[in-house]
Amino acid sequence: MPPMEPLSLRQAVERSMALYLADVEDDDDLVTNLYDLVLREVELPLIQSVLNFTNGNQSRTATMLGLNRGTLRKKMKLYGLDSTNRR
């Protein structure tokens, strides 16, 4: 049996969104602000992963994410992250 190819990030997001939308399709509670919900679900683990990769180096993390350091610090505060425990 040949090894399975890993899902691309895009494929993983598409699959997750399809499953999520199928769950809410028959729900009377229409989801609002779906963009913000998805952004938060993706952004937090992304920042955590890069912080871990850089051993908490915020300047390097910001550079890798294409953010300025001040924006990274705001996002870290929003998600309750710091450079030592990275949540």
Side-chain angles (χ1 to χ4, degrees):
M1 175 185 291
M4 291 181 53
E5 288 189 34
L7 287 178
S8 72
L9 180 57
R10 181 184 183 114
Q11 290 171 320
V13 170
E14 287 172 349
R15 179 178 288 174
S16 295
M17 287 306 306
L19 292 171
Y20 180 80
L21 292 172
D23 283 345
V24 298
E25 184 175 25
D26 297 324
D27 197 348
D28 290 337
D29 296 328
L30 182 63
V31 176
T32 58
N33 234 349
L34 184 58
Y35 179 82
D36 288 337
L37 173 69
V38 171
L39 185 60
R40 283 192 175 92
E41 289 296 314
V42 172
E43 191 171 50
L44 174 59
L46 173 64
I47 293 171
Q48 286 176 306
S49 295
V50 179
L51 276 169
N52 286 329
F53 178 78
T54 64
N55 294 313
N57 184 318
Q58 293 177 20
S59 294
R60 187 167 175 217
T61 297
T63 298
M64 288 180 72
L65 293 173
L67 303 172
N68 71 42
R69 193 165 162 263
T71 300
L72 174 63
R73 291 178 60 81
K74 286 180 193 175
K75 291 179 180 292
M76 289 174 64
K77 184 175 181 178
L78 174 70
Y79 295 120
L81 301 173
D82 68 36
S83 59
T84 57
N85 67 15
R86 299 180 286 283
R87 186 147 187 215

